[in-house]
Amino acid sequence: MSTNLQDSPMTEHPVRTPIKRTVLMCKPEYFTVVYRINPWMNPALPTDTSLAVSQWQALYDIYIELGFDVHLIDPIDGLPDMVYAANGGFVIDNKAYGASFTYPERQPEGPAYMDWFRDNGFEVHAPREINEGEGDFLLVGDVILAGTGFRSDSNSHEELAAISGREVITLKLVNPSFYHLDTAIAVLDDTNIAYLRSAFDAASLDILEARYPDAIIATESDAAILGLNSYSDGYNVVIASRATDFERQLRERGYNPIGVDLSELLLGGGGVKCCTLELRR
Ligand code: ARG
């Protein structure tokens, strides 16, 4: 892996510093598409579970190579979306705010993830409100950006604010293809994000422009393969290998994009970030 920051000598940017991450993942041993709860899913199309596993394994291997501490939750037969660990909760200061899923097909995942958090020493906060964890909650420095419109109820934003003691900023998603906030915003470090403008309503765009004037603006074509659904340690940014414009913009700003192909998991409507739940002790 290159640590050379001289790739784009014309561009001035701060030195990017990687921070070791601790994450939770779930091997897609039971991955398939048998229901449709987002526009990416089509139960009529075949899926290849062993390909999903090998693509997921490549992501896991990258995280290990980056020095991350990767924890695993056992997959459960009959919960094909459990691979999208990001939806299993939101964890901060050793507190785990549990998920309460929108659609019945995924609802058993909430308790399964809460059991894992409890068994691994986290203080579990069972949710009162509908929310899909880090799918809709993204920590950027001290604030939590929170999505609503398709999945998480905006009441869950207040619930998380009370539990976490953090400022929670509500953003409204308007395009069903970008139904979770982590499909429309990528967090790069404590102060920088990338986002897809067309995924948000006008009021949310005003907030994003005011707070993040230097944000990377993603192209429609990169977003259309869930290119924003990426995971950064502050320097290394693991992204969909086909998100070539995002890759270029990251390089220009001194990040180190690392491409991975999760085409099979895209059939369920998820990418890199969806497979990754950050654990913050
Ligand atoms: N099939 C899953 C669903 O629609 C995909 C979840 C993707 N996860 C994410 N963090 N965006 O719920």
Side-chain angles (χ1 to χ4, degrees), residues 94-112:
N94 208 48
K95 296 174 182 175
Y97 175 46
S100 171
F101 284 84
T102 312
Y103 294 105
E105 291 88 340
R106 295 197 68 183
Q107 279 164 5
E109 294 182 46

Side-chain angles (χ1 to χ4, degrees), residues 37-38 41 81 84 86-87 106 135 151 179-180 182 268-269 274:
I37 58 173
N38 70 55
M41 301 174 87
D81 276 340
Y84 305 112
N87 303 134
R106 295 197 68 183
R151 300 292 179 89
Y179 55 95
H180 274 143
D182 71 358
C274 300

Side-chain angles (χ1 to χ4, degrees), residues 127 135 149 189 269:
D189 53 39

